């Protein structure tokens, strides 16, 4: 049985005082969580040191929200994989829908970032998802398959089991529109099938997280779906009580 994984994506939010209260609340609330779930927070780069200090020796892992394909050099504003590792990061998001939309990240660039992350010993959380326009045109599977396939083409099969996938129906994030648990399950099942074409063994093990506005009130039903292995949590990850409720679910 695949372990559940809940990752909080803070996006561009936080300050040192608020972070301290949030992390303390999460850690204290995890004391009675069973061993079927893992959790992590992916934070803005300036707060990696704070996470390392406050989460070391706790059940909560931490990670970055993006990374450069370059190891070092004249790339102002970029964050290298080695820098994330230097602060004890375990995970890194690659290809988040906001990076794709606002920064023009291509499927090929996202795939390259995943390869760089793996080489550094990080677990890349490869994000895929369709827009409302894609869904209404009936192109959901075509779009998310192309996004995933770019990564499958360059990640060796013996590294694929170190990858986490996240499905983000872009049209259901912060829009008031919702994907039903069945719609989410169908997309996750499809993605698992795409992985199976490269390795059936990996497909049975790979964790696929749901990133479409999972909240305490819909987490139980979503997490009960056969192919939904956890959540990539946005807004609810900024409130300890909400984040814990999803983990408990």
């Amino acid at each position: 049985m695949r372990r559940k994984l809940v990752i909080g994506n803070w996006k561009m939010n936080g300050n040192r005082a608020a972070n301290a209260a949030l992390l303390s609340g999460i850690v204290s609330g995890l004391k009675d969580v069973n061993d079927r779930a893992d959790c992590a927070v992916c934070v803005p780069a300036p707060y990696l040191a704070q996470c390392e200090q406050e989460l070391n020796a706790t059940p909560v892992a931490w990670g970055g929200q993006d990374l450069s394909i370059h190891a070092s050099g004249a790339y102002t504003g970029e964050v290298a994989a080695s820098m994330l590792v230097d602060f004890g990061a375990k995970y890194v998001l690659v290809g988040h829908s906001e990076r794709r939309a606002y920064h023009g990240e291509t499927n090929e660039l996202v795939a390259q970032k995943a390869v760089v992350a793996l080489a550094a010993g990080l677990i890349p959380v490869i994000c895929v998802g369709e827009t409302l326009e894609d869904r209404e045109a009936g192109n959901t599977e075509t779009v998310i398959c192309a996004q995933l396939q770019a990564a499958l083409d360059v990640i060796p099969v013996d590294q694929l089991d170190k990858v986490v996938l996240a499905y983000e129906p872009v049209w259901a994030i912060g829009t008031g529109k919702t994907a039903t648990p069945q719609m989410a399950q169908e997309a996750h099942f499809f993605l698992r099938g795409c992985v199976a074409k490269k390795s059936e063994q990996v497909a049975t093990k790979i964790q696929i997280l749901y990133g479409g506005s999972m909240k305490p009130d819909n987490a139980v039903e979503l997490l009960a779906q056969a192919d939904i292995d956890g959540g990539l949590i946005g807004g609810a990850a900024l409130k300890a009580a909400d984040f814990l409720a999803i983990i408990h679910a």
Side-chain angles (χ1 to χ4, degrees), residues 51-184:
C51 286
E52 183 180 38
Q53 180 178 358
E54 302 202 20
L55 297 178
N56 191 34
T58 76
V60 185
W62 59 96
Q65 297 178 354
D66 187 34
L67 82 168
S68 174
I69 60 172
H70 304 288
S72 63
Y75 304 101
T76 301
E78 295 284 272
V79 176
S82 62
M83 296 174 182
L84 298 177
V85 172
D86 208 19
F87 284 96
K90 181 176 181 178
Y91 298 95
V92 62
L93 306 181
V94 295
H96 189 277
S97 59
E98 291 157 4
R99 298 293 310 178
R100 293 178 186 269
Y102 306 150
H103 299 272
E105 294 197 359
T106 64
N107 296 343
E108 292 71 27
L109 177 62
V110 172
Q112 197 173 356
K113 288 186 175 187
V115 169
V116 169
L118 287 165
L122 294 163
I123 297 173
V125 181
I126 303 174
C127 303
V128 302
E130 83 281 18
T131 64
L132 182 60
E133 184 180 15
D134 293 328
R135 175 163 279 273
E136 290 182 341
N139 293 329
T140 293
E141 292 187 354
T142 300
V143 170
I144 64 177
C145 182
Q147 291 171 338
L148 175 57
Q149 192 61 49
L152 294 177
D153 287 345
V154 295
I155 297 174
V157 70
D158 63 350
Q159 292 280 301
L160 198 55
D161 61 352
K162 300 178 179 69
V163 168
V164 171
L165 301 180
Y167 169 61
E168 301 181 281
V170 181
W171 52 273
I173 302 172
T175 62
K177 296 179 181 291
T178 55
T180 66
Q182 182 59 33
M183 291 162 71

Side-chain angles (χ1 to χ4, degrees), residues 190-242:
F190 173 76
L191 289 168
R192 199 174 302 282
C194 293
V195 176
K197 292 176 182 177
K198 181 157 185 172
S199 169
E200 291 188 7
Q201 184 177 12
V202 172
T204 64
K205 297 178 181 178
I206 197 166
Q207 292 168 308
I208 308 178
L209 313 183
Y210 180 64
S213 292
M214 186 182 287
K215 298 179 175 66
D217 60 359
N218 64 14
V220 171
E221 194 173 3
L222 284 164
L223 292 168
Q225 303 301 312
D227 290 291
I228 297 181
D229 304 313
L232 179 60
I233 315 302
L238 300 175
K239 298 177 181 178
D242 288 355

